[in-house]
């Protein structure tokens, strides 16, 4: 397995926590209109992940036949992350990506994956990742996770935290198996890109 | 030597100047046009390049902005070092905060705008400045800011340098070309000019210019030579005719001299003769005056004594004797009248004239009125037109009217309806007055005799008169500088004309 790794600045964990607390304290006290600043770090992370999820759509090419019509909606299914699903539904309301509206669907384990284009597995469901992988690959579903090591189990994009920021890593080999094309511009901003198995 | 003077006098320098000026003008126009075009193009292409660069940057950094990856954005900015003219660049996020920046290596630390400006490009001194929004799916992700060198002045200076060098070189080449060209062109002209100068200086029309080319200059040389031939011929003719003219002039002058001398002699002779004539005339007048005067005394005696004879011895005389004595008396009275008129006539030559402004209409009317009392003028139809005023002696001119009008009355008296018309016409010099009647008239063959003293065309028994009246009229009119004439046919009436000049002339001698 080859990793294209980007150098990252090093910050000691202790100091990082301190900074986050200070930033929050300052933001809360000042009462900034920016809603995100008022929330705690977890809420912020949730919001960022939700935003990234629908922004990914613009950099992905699904194989022909994935959509019934040119303006058919892109469906994002969320499993095991209800808070994120709610946040996402709010974020995509009224938005279009590549002239397609975006629909959010909450799924429970066992629900059909038909008509789904993006599937997000919350941390709670990471254990069942392997169950989804097969179905997702056959349906050309962009599988997004938020657990360390998920790429190795068939996830295509996996959120990671780096320097207190939400970043993501990409597995191109898995994307190829799902017949998905990821824009090189997306790869350029990924934390790391796994290109294939040796 | 003054440069302008030299150019004005030399066709060679003029030609050279023309060539150089033409070259310089062409280069200047072309150079200015090129520089303007290039600077405009440079500016436009600079902006276009920057715009393309911003487009690429925006595309490349859109994911970085979308996924909040400042490092990735910074890396795409670093690629700008391949474009050394870009001095600084920045990417702002959607909220207008600086997201990533770039500064050209080796340059001063740039001052980035705190906030991105609206989309567009502008020139800021020696820099292009450009802002370009990064948008995706109708969402503004951020803004690209680019600042690049705009080295128009340096470019202009470069061009000026090149232009100066090219101009200098071109002028040198043009100078060489013009020296060679003008030699071909001016040589025949200069040769012709030299010949022309020699012709003028030496007045030698036998000189000829040499023809060396077949172009317009060649034909000019031909024409010049033809002209020389013509001028030579003309000069020859002119001097010949001058000589003959001079001869003629001399002859004419001599003839004029002779004529003048002759004239002088003639005038002197005329003057002498006139003086003789005048004195003879005077003598004659005084003679006739004294004769007339002296004749009156014996005539009075003859008439007086014949009267006494009739009165004192009437009883002793028979009828025949008395008739003869009556004849003696009437003839004597007639002779007395003759002598009186003769005296009046001769007196006219001596009397001086009193010139005044005369109302001729009034004068003619009053004169006719005077006649009316004596003769049977009441029957006469008298037509008097408006007569122009004239200058003259009132008494003498009145005498003219009296004589002419009484003549008219006299000769028309036998008509059933006698008519007399008096009128006048004027030209620029004189007034012509005339008296026309419908009387007996006269034979125009005797017109010349009309105005002679004692000349009569009719017998005294037919129309009484002494024959002095018209002679008197002529004399008076002549003294006033006028003329007298008459026109008639027998039995068709007569018209008598006399003129008086508008301007008073000197009384003729």
């Amino acid at each position: 397995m080859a990793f294209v790794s980007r150098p990252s600045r090093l910050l000691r964990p202790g100091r990082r926590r301190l900074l986050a607390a200070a930033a929050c304290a300052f933001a809360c006290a000042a009462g900034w209109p920016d809603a995100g600043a008022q929330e705690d770090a977890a809420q912020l992370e949730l919001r960022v992940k939700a935003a990234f999820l629908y922004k990914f759509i613009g950099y992905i090419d699904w194989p022909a036949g994935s959509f019934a019509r040119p303006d058919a909606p892109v469906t994002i299914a969320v499993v095991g992350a209800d808070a994120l699903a709610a946040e996402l539904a709010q974020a995509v309301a009224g938005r279009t990506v590549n002239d397609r509206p975006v629909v959010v669907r909450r799924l429970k384990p066992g629900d059909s994956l038909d008509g789904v284009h993006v599937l997000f597995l919350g941390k709670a469901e990471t254990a069942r990742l392997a169950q989804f992988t097969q179905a997702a690959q056959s349906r050309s579903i962009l599988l997004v996770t938020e657990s360390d090591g998920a790429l190795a189990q068939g996830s295509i994009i996996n959120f990671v935290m780096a320097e207190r920021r939400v970043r993501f890593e990409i597995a191109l080999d898995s994307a190829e198996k799902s017949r998905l094309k990821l824009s090189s511009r997306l790869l350029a901003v990924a934390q790391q890109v796994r290109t294939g198995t040796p | 030597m003054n440069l302008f003077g030299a150019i004005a006098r030399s066709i060679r320098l003029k030609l050279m100047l023309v060539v150089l000026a033409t070259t310089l003008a062409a280069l200047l126009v072309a150079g200015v046009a090129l520089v303007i075009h290039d600077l405009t193009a440079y500016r436009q292409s600079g902006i276009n390049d920057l715009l393309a660069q911003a487009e690429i940057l925006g595309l490349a950094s859109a994911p970085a902005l979308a996924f909040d990856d400042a490092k990735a954005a910074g890396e795409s900015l670093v690629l700008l070092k391949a474009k050394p003219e870009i001095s600084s660049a920045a990417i702002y996020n959607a909220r207008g905060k600086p997201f990533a920046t770039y500064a050209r290596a080796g340059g001063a630390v740039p001052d980035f705008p705190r906030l991105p400006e609206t989309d567009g490009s502008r020139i800021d001194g020696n820099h292009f400045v450009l802002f370009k929004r990064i948008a995706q799916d109708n969402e503004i992700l951020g803004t690209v800011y680019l600042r690049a060198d705009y080295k128009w002045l340096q470019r202009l200076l470069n061009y000026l340098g090149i232009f100066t060098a090219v101009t200098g070189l071109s002028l040198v080449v043009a100078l060489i070309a013009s020296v060679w060209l003008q030699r071909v062109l001016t040589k025949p002209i200069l040769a012709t000019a030299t010949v022309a100068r020699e012709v003028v200086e030496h007045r030698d029309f036998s000189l000829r210019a040499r023809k060396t080319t077949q172009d317009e200059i060649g034909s000019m040389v031909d024409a010049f030579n033809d002209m020389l031939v013509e001028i030579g011929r003309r000069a020859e003719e002119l001097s010949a005719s001058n000589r003959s003219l001079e001869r003629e002039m001399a002859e004419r002058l001599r003839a004029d001299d002779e004529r003048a001398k002759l004239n002088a002699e003639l005038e002197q002779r005329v003057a002498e003769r006139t003086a003789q004539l005048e004195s003879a005339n005077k003598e004659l007048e005084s003679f006739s005056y004294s004769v007339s005067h002296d004749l009156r005394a014996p005539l009075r005696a003859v008439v007086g004594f014949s009267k006494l004879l009739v009165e004192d011895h009437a009883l002793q005389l028979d009828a025949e004797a008395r008739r003869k004595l009556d004849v003696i008396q009437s003839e004597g009275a007639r002779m007395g009248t003759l002598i009186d008129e003769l005296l009046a006539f001769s007196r006219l030559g001596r009397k001086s004239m009193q010139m005044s402004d005369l109302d001729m209409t009034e004068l003619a009317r009053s004169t006719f009125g005077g006649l009316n009392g004596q003769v049977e003028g009441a029957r006469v139809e008298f037509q008097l037109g408006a007569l122009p005023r004239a200058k003259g002696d009132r008494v003498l001119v009145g005498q003219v009217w009296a004589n002419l009008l009484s003549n008219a009355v006299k000769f028309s008296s036998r008509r059933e309806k006698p008519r007399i018309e008096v009128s006048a016409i004027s030209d620029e010099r004189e007034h012509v007055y005339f008296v026309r009647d419908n009387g007996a008239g006269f034979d125009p063959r005797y017109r010349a005799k009309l105005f002679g003293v004692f000349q009569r065309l009719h017998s005294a028994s037919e129309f009484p008169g002494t024959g002095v009246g018209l002679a008197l009229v002529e004399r008076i009119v002549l003294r006033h500088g006028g003329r007298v004439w008459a026109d008639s046919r027998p039995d068709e009436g007569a018209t008598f004309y006399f003129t008086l000049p508008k301007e008073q002339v000197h009384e003729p001698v």
Side-chain angles (χ1 to χ4, degrees), chain B residues 338 341 345 410 449-457 464-472:
Chain B
L338 265 174
E341 294 205 346
F345 183 75
K410 186 164 69 188
K449 290 187 168 182
L450 263 181
F451 299 99
V453 184
F454 303 128
Q455 296 287 346
R456 290 183 54 87
L457 302 184
T466 54
V468 178
L470 285 179
L472 207 60

Side-chain angles (χ1 to χ4, degrees), chain B residues 195 199 204-210 224-226 228-230:
Chain B
V195 172
V199 166
D204 180 359
F205 297 112
S206 66
L207 288 173
R208 293 291 177 268
R210 202 160 60 81
F224 176 71
N225 286 338
D226 290 348
L228 276 183
V229 172
E230 185 66 18

